[in-house]
Amino acid sequence: MHFVRLIVLFSVSAALSAGTINATATYTDAMVGPGEFQYGLTLHNTGTTNIGTFWFSWIPGAGFLSAQPTNVLAPADWTGMVTDTYAILFSAGTAPLAAGATLSGFQFDSTMTPAELAANFGGPGP
């Protein structure tokens, strides 16, 4: 298991004044074919408010992934989509991640190797 070293941003489904947003994410990786890797993400809500949005590999206007992710999957009641900058936006339906809870099931495939994913980011994506 690896800790995500990329910037991960969150939004909440409750008023910001009601609590603090704080979370960590870890990931696992597995080769699923020649030059193709599958990454599984687990989100840990360490704050005091619910999390309804999980941006993976994103800052405003730029994504950190150098290759477009494919086969994006999300946990039950969540959806996942790839942005035009190769970041991934995961959004909760009616069940945001509660404070203190952990949620796995975020997943994507990529041609980026585990070493490339863990490396320092060199600049904005496409």
Side-chain angles (χ1 to χ4, degrees):
M1 184 173 308
H2 308 279
F3 285 96
V4 175
R5 295 185 338 154
L6 305 174
I7 293 175
V8 182
L9 297 178
F10 308 93
S11 71
V12 296
S13 59
L16 288 177
S17 61
T20 58
I21 302 170
N22 198 17
T24 61
T26 55
Y27 71 94
T28 59
D29 57 71
M31 181 178 271
V32 293
E36 187 79 15
F37 299 87
Q38 185 173 81
Y39 296 95
L41 307 167
T42 300
L43 182 60
H44 313 276
N45 185 347
T46 59
T48 60
T49 193
N50 295 344
I51 294 175
T53 304
F54 171 27
W55 283 93
F56 180 76
S57 184
W58 178 82
I59 59 171
F64 292 109
L65 300 175
S66 61
Q68 184 169 5
T70 58
N71 301 321
V72 174
L73 299 175
D77 196 46
W78 284 68
T79 58
M81 66 170 273
V82 178
T83 71
D84 60 353
T85 59
Y86 295 174
I88 304 173
L89 168 60
F90 293 103
S91 300
T94 59
L97 181 59
T102 296
L103 184 62
S104 59
F106 302 99
Q107 184 176 298
F108 67 96
D109 292 351
S110 179
T111 57
M112 289 182 69
T113 66
E116 290 170 329
L117 186 68
N120 290 332
F121 178 61

